[in-house]
Amino acid sequence: MTDTTTLPNSLRTGPDERGHFGQFGGRYVAETLMPLILDLERHYRAAQADPAFKAEFDYLLKNYVGRPSPLWFAERLTEHLGGAKIYLKREDLNHTGAHKINNCIGQILLAKRMGKTRIIAETGAGQHGVATATVAALFGLPCTIFMGAVDVARQQPNVFRMKLLGAEVVAVESGAKTLKDAMNEALRHWVANVHDTFYIIGTVAGPHPYPQLVRDFQSVIGDEARAQILEAEDRLPDVLIAPVGGGSNAIGLFHPFLDDPDVAIVGVEAAGEGLDGKHAASLAGGKPGILHGNKTYLLQDEDGQITEAHSISAGLDYPGIGPEHSWLHDIGRVRYEPVTDAEALASFQKLTKLEGIIPALESAHAIAAAERIAPTLGKDKIIIVNCSGRGDKDIFTVADALGVAL
Amino acid sequence: MTRFAAAFAKPHPALVAFITAGDGDTAANLDALVAGGADVIELGMPFTDPMADGPAIQAANLRSLAKGTTTADLFAIAAAFRQRHPDTPLVLMGYANPMTIRGGDWFAAECAKAGVDGVICVDVPAEEDPELGPALRAAGVDLIRLATPTTDAARLPDVLNGASGFLYYVSVAGITGQQQAAQASIEDAVARLKAATDLPVAVGFGVRTPDQAAQIARVADGVVVGSAFIDIIAEHGDAAAPHVEAFTRTLADAIHSAKEIAA
């Protein structure tokens, strides 16, 4: 555990110069990639200091993505639960239907700065793949998406979307043929094509500086939410809730609030069939280890072999979590709670009926946690839930789980 | 003199042979490698997510794990090898998570106890040396570093700092068992590396045939072959040893005589 007596005055200054958040993070990559990682870091630092980079990022977020996304007061859900007021941060209304696009815009601008001419990415449910293929189309760059063969089979609409957008979709046949294996294959491809290829990682994981730069690009969520809640309620919220797979939407909402001690923060892990069964809750059921370029909590056995994750939500179906979340967990700043497939499925339907918003199954996990927490708080309290994506992509999975043939 | 020093002090370049622990009859295959003339043995530590490996070694990792190979089994294989072959250097090669899950000190102590001479960890670059380096050095186990075509002159001193045993030159920017590098690029790289270090330089990745191996052996101190052995084990299963030995012999003959022919 991190020595809490030596915590910095601000929790927003990480990572350190070696890319570590406490003991987590780092750059655990093959030597072939190391020079590229260092080059990416140099370019990212230069971009951060360049007002033109921020101006182009902001322009695209406003005019292409459609930001700012609304902060919606979910009045009927609030009444139904009978406790704290619930606001939804509507990332589902972004172009391509989720928060993923924020990060893709930032990274493709970096790719352009670095003179890279090809884009690759991994994807699980296909949301990050679609977002990556979208920005690649916008910038006219060839794009290859690595996707586990199992996910290709169960996410056909997104596979077709990516192809329409001009991307090549590689069905990965190794391992369990899901997100973890797609990431392995993307890393293998990258190592063989480092000279011209930019890897757009979809979450706050991977080797430094990815967890930092993805967080920075996604922090627009929390920056907006902060301004919006101050406008609506003239004060900060009492609780933030967001779903956590790798954790990019969550860190994006959380990060601008980390130094506000009166704001409680809850990350929601996918507990799948339950923590004693198959699940994807790396913090609740894993321990620290090294995978995909960073040290973080991982689902693994006693020999350090990675075990398969399970969640009804393909976007949460990953055996790890971003390193900054592991750190925030260990220092106790963020509380991480598990939500099962069944709970998420119930909340998916409840939000759809009460608010007319079909949330992504990922986001439904956060709604389920809000249902648990809101009734325990007074009506004067405020909760912001990150509605990280829309659920259109999940209707087949939900129909299947409900025994409905489409 | 260490086993590495002795192996690389021979009057000919070294054949460095890689197989994955727990894939096929590992003890018999290790004996076959030694009998066939391998000078250094690399024993792959199976991992669920071998990110730097091509299809052949990926499959070997999964076959081994499917049979239930544990870290304890790996060290038992290594210790028994050391009993049977007191002089042949043995390297464990693998990924960070299985090596560090019980702590670097534990891993280094187990290596020393089993008679392992060196460790190659694919995903612990020089920047993350504290993860394993200090523990291995304290236990007297060599940390073998990788240099690649992307390792530039500015970076090379960092890679060499803390490296021992030998230097492994990954001749292609890519994964194991795929394309082979152009001979000229290998010759340039080896010359550059040898100007920067006194460590022996072994060259690997994509080397599959005796002819390729002999070409590289003209300029390098050692040649690493892995996927080609894995293919033989995949084809012949538990009865692979005679085939492994025969192929080892053709490689060893080619590598050991490479400099004589060149001269």
Side-chain angles (χ1 to χ4, degrees), chain A residues 33 36 118-124 128 132 144-148 170-174 178-194 197-202 207 210 292, chain B residues 50-53 58 174-175:
Chain A
L33 290 178
L36 185 66
R118 295 178 65 244
I119 299 296
I120 61 168
E122 85 295 339
T123 196
H128 176 58
T132 302
T144 303
I145 304 292
F146 295 88
M147 187 169 185
V170 175
V172 175
E173 298 284 350
S174 59
T178 58
L179 177 56
K180 167 173 84 78
D181 311 288
M183 194 151 184
N184 289 335
E185 207 58 34
L187 285 164
R188 289 183 187 116
H189 181 90
W190 195 27
V191 91
N193 295 278
V194 284
T197 300
F198 191 97
Y199 181 10
I200 297 188
I201 291 182
Y210 279 102
H292 292 155
Chain B
M51 287 154 288
D53 285 300
Q58 285 176 42
I175 52 178

Side-chain angles (χ1 to χ4, degrees), chain A residues 18 20 26-32 34-35 174 180 184 188 191-192 289-290 292 295 300 302-306, chain B residues 46-51 53 58 70-71 97-98 101-102 122-123 125 127-128 131 146 148 150-151 155 173-174:
Chain A
R18 293 175 58 238
H20 289 88
R27 295 175 284 210
Y28 298 88
V29 295
E31 169 62 21
T32 311
M34 198 62 217
S174 59
K180 167 173 84 78
N184 289 335
R188 289 183 187 116
V191 91
I290 297 166
H292 292 155
K295 182 182 283 189
Q300 55 184 321
E302 60 187 14
D303 274 348
Q305 305 295 350
I306 308 304
Chain B
F47 183 43
T48 41
D49 295 83
M51 287 154 288
D53 285 300
Q58 285 176 42
T70 65
T71 299
N97 203 45
I101 188 68
R102 295 179 177 88
V122 174
D123 51 350
E127 280 74 3
E128 300 293 350
E131 207 62 54
L146 304 160
T148 73
T150 60
T151 308
R155 209 177 136 61

